[in-house]
Amino acid sequence: MKCYPVPRENLVLSIDNLKDDIPEEYLSHKECYENVIRKGSVLYDIFSELSKDRKHKAHQAPSNAYRISDGIMQNVNPFLLHFALFVPAITNQATPEQQAEFLKHGFGIIGTYAQTELGHGTFLRGLETTATLDLETDEFVLNSPTLTSYKWWPGGLGHTANHCVVMAQLYVKGKCHGPHLFFVQIRDIETHEPLPGLKLGEIGAKMGFNTADNGFLGFHNFRIPRNNMLMKNSQVLKDGTYVESKNEKLTYGSMVFVRVYLLSDMAYMLARAATISVRYSAVRHQSHIKPDEPEVQILDFVIQQHKLFISIATSHAFKICGLWLWQTYSKVMEDIGKGSMDRLPELHALSCCLKTTSTRDAGWLIEQCRLACGGHGYLMSSNLPSLYTTATAAITYEGESTVLLLQTARYLIKSWKRAMEGESLPATVSFLSEYFNKRYNKWENTPKGIVDGLKLVVAGVTKMCAESIQKHVSRGQQYEEAWNSSSVQLIKASEAYSRALLCEVFWFEVDKVSSTLSNNLAVVLKQLAELYITYWALEKRGDLLVYTTISKDDLDKLQERYEELLALIRPNAVGLVDSFDIRDEILCSTLGAYDGRVYERMMEHALKSPLNAETVNQSFHKYMKPVILKHKI
Ligand SMILES: CCCCCCCC/C=C\CCCCCCCC(=O)SCCNC(=O)CCNC(=O)[C@H](O)C(C)(C)COP(=O)(O)OP(=O)(O)OC[C@H]1O[C@@H](n2cnc3c(N)ncnc32)[C@H](O)[C@@H]1OP(=O)(O)O
Ligand SMILES: Cc1cc2nc3c(=O)[nH]c(=O)nc-3n(C[C@H](O)[C@H](O)[C@H](O)COP(=O)(O)OP(=O)(O)OC[C@H]3O[C@@H](n4cnc5c(N)ncnc54)[C@H](O)[C@@H]3O)c2cc1C
């Protein structure tokens, strides 16, 4: 068995058969998949060695090995779900004995997480796949009773995985106990043929993520041992007794893990886009500022700085908040392990709104980075289009953004009611209780003052939502209808909450560590944090004018300070993206390479196009020439 030392970037990036001679954009759909499986198998082998050293624990932040694969795959790794959801679901939801059993083959099996169906993605209680206990044979019988019950979307399901964790409605003695998770082998380990009673395939080309091998899966009287239900939280005994979970939502725990992780993931996606666009903006000379001087670096245009520096700052914001949220997640998981569920609702609410804001922001900011590079940003070789399609998929997967924001709104409304009843609240929402005492406080044009102002916006909008729901109920609507009628405002409350959290955590974490940093580093990091907070104060000036005592004069001063910060950051901009330390082989961009040889790389890449293999393409003679000659006068 090959054994790799813990892979370093150099080692992985030096492996010859991981390099592509033809850029992926020139391969067919099928060739793309085969190419990533070729590379993914080598990486899987390396990561398996790595993971064995690290003994995969349910909530251990994944290693940066995951990042190296970004460069190698240059698209999504079809093995990703094995690490992102399949193994965490088993370590999170199975008993220790089951973990030993299901993971005994270590990395000899490849799994995915099959929850979403053709007919349901959000509403899990509406999933239609059934798992019915057969008492006589001590098995569950899995069925897809309708076309809409086919599993649809799971990554790696089409042709890669040979096992999966399946979410299905549990039926015991005719009674439905809701969605539960099951460990299911779907392909023969040796032949990789689908097992009898299954219909498997891939769902077709997508806007991006085209190497993720998202697939479909239908069951027809497919039998698995009773012990294949993940039974850490709830159990089905041999005699058919169903033992309830202490909290039925624990079944959803694997989704919380990925949502928490995605904040850090988006920090990294943004770091790549910022590196590409800022370096390119330092190389690209275009137009004049002073008419009698040479063409300037486009990075000298203040509006270009306005477009790009927010991405540098946001990447750091997501990285720092991602670590903070990871620590919260780990602490809550520890508490749950000791039997306390108290903080699960808070963790769910935080992970929902922060996952949504980070994925949405990553999407539009990467697009902004692409647009800031002009036509060359539109080239696949810039890697900005792929970064965009990969990042924006996360707005939908792992919980669609609207739906997750409404989950956070549910928590805000509950917290508001508890605050009005004088109950004490967790620190992350305790500001709701202080609203009435603080709402007329004098505005302070400082980062802390802005954070306090953004919190007042959250409290003010939440109060408005609670009053709206109450108004609809008093007019005769049921609570659920009143909730639906108020949902536009509820989304606004969650978005405001998420923004206030990001600003607060970013500023105070930077402030906390700045005394431990060299003065220069502390100064630059604080400039980035202040830029982020001031940017969002200006973006949300309307809400601040409604819910705080900020004045037009305060806003003018904030605008001035914002522009000062752009000028202060300008000399460090390239240094700041260099400090993301993303190697060219992982950045995969003709515009963002460290050596700045943009035009040479663009030409080298263009010449790799299969179309450039000959000076006259055969289509001229076959199709064009007859027409031209026919119409030639
Ligand atoms: C080398 C290492 C590499 C590692 C890499 C790591 C990561 C890499 C990053 C990226 C790669 C990922 C690649 C793609 C992955 C994609 C995977 C998927 O997409 S898997 C499918 C996702 N599907 C959803 O998320 C469904 C969304 N729907 C739901 O969550 C629920 O259905 C919901 C919440 C929308 C509604 O559920 P209701 O209707 O049953 O529940 P209600 O009535 O609304 O709430 C009931 C109570 O349950 C709580 N609740 C709901 N969900 C909860 C949860 N997850 N946790 C805790 N509590 C929850 C609520 O707070 C509420 O509590 P109260 O009643 O207010 O006290
Ligand atoms: C690239 C990619 C990879 C994926 N990988 C996996 C995977 O590995 N495993 C897996 O199981 N799934 C996976 N998914 C599926 C993903 O989790 C679902 O697409 C997602 O949960 C949304 O469900 P849906 O697509 O059915 O949309 P729906 O739930 O039908 O939502 C459609 C629209 O209706 C709105 N809506 C729905 N419910 C409400 C509500 N209560 N209130 C207000 N509006 C609502 C939504 O906001 C949305 O705009 C993946 C999806 C993508 C795009």
Side-chain angles (χ1 to χ4, degrees), residues 47 62-63 66 80-81 83-85 113 115-116 121-125 209 249 252 255-259 261-262 265 344 348 397-399 403-404 407 410 414:
F47 290 163
S63 69
Y66 165 57
L80 184 55
L81 264 292
F83 296 101
L85 270 162
Y113 182 83
Q115 172 178 295
T116 303
T122 290
F123 188 58
L124 301 187
R125 287 182 286 151
F209 249 67
K249 297 304 175 189
Y252 296 169
M255 291 179 276
V256 179
F257 162 76
V258 176
R259 290 171 192 159
Y261 187 89
L262 281 169
D265 207 44
L344 184 57
H348 173 53
Y397 70 59
E398 214 53 80
V403 161
L404 295 189
Q407 286 293 302
R410 191 182 169 116
K414 286 188 171 206

Side-chain angles (χ1 to χ4, degrees), residues 132-145:
T132 308
L133 180 69
D134 181 338
L135 270 170
E136 276 166 38
T137 63
D138 198 29
E139 293 171 317
F140 284 111
V141 184
L142 296 177
N143 269 299
S144 305

Side-chain angles (χ1 to χ4, degrees), residues 124-125 167-171 175-182 242 248:
L124 301 187
R125 287 182 286 151
M167 189 170 279
Q169 300 288 0
L170 168 65
Y171 281 84
K175 183 173 185 304
C176 179
H177 295 280
H180 286 69
L181 293 171
F182 299 83
Y242 173 68
E248 61 167 6

Side-chain angles (χ1 to χ4, degrees), residues 81 85 112-124 151-156 206 208-209 212 214 389-390 392-394 396-404 406-407 483-484 487 491:
L81 264 292
L85 270 162
T112 185
Y113 182 83
Q115 172 178 295
T116 303
E117 295 172 356
L118 197 51
H120 285 91
T122 290
F123 188 58
L124 301 187
K151 292 303 174 186
W152 186 276
W153 273 111
K206 302 170 288 274
F209 249 67
N214 301 92
T389 54
T390 304
T392 46
T396 306
Y397 70 59
E398 214 53 80
E400 196 280 330
S401 60
T402 309
V403 161
L404 295 189
L406 287 170
Q407 286 293 302
W483 175 270
N484 187 37
S487 52
I491 291 289

